[in-house]
Amino acid sequence: MGFDQYHEPPQELSEATRTFARMITSLTEEAEAIGWYEQRISVEKNKEAKAIMQNAQQEEMKHFGMDLEFLLRKKPEWRTILKAVLFTKGDIVEAATKGEEKVD
């Protein structure tokens, strides 16, 4: 079974880099699932089915958060930038720029 998650020969990559690539792939898959559930929820008429989908979407968001946290623990500079952006008010792009300046 082949995977397209590597852009370099896998055997030349360290175990840490292969794990990182798998987590990036997992993060992407969780984000896709969140989007798919959002679409399904928006058109679902059955209240019980909709509630189940909303619950499933929340689980996907939890998994997304866990994947992201794993990656941020491996890339502290990413955490610095995201701390300037997430859970803040004001201009998002401006906040990101300020966060990047902290890393430089």
Side-chain angles (χ1 to χ4, degrees):
M1 176 184 232
F3 295 97
D4 292 332
Q5 67 193 30
Y6 301 118
H7 294 281
E8 300 296 331
Q11 66 276 13
E12 293 182 24
L13 301 173
S14 69
E15 183 62 33
T17 298
R18 290 193 309 271
T19 296
F20 190 86
R22 285 191 290 271
M23 293 304 291
I24 289 286
T25 299
S26 181
L27 184 78
T28 301
E29 291 168 349
E30 299 299 345
E32 286 179 337
I34 291 164
W36 294 334
Y37 277 115
E38 189 67 21
Q39 292 177 45
R40 293 173 189 156
I41 291 164
S42 74
V43 298
E44 184 54 56
K45 305 287 188 243
N46 183 287
K47 288 182 181 182
E48 185 177 21
K50 189 172 190 169
I52 292 168
M53 289 179 212
Q54 288 170 324
N55 181 272
Q57 185 186 45
Q58 287 175 1
E59 284 295 309
E60 302 298 349
M61 182 58 77
K62 178 180 76 174
H63 300 155
F64 179 90
M66 290 168 29
D67 292 344
L68 181 59
E69 178 61 25
F70 177 89
L71 293 166
L72 293 177
R73 290 180 183 187
K74 302 301 177 196
K75 299 283 187 182
E77 64 276 13
W78 290 6
R79 182 180 299 282
T80 299
I81 296 166
L82 289 183
K83 275 185 170 182
V85 176
L86 297 174
F87 312 110
T88 62
K89 295 183 187 219
D91 187 276
I92 296 169
V93 175
E94 193 175 296
T97 301
K98 288 178 182 177
E100 287 175 320
E101 290 169 357
K102 292 178 181 178
V103 173
D104 294 335

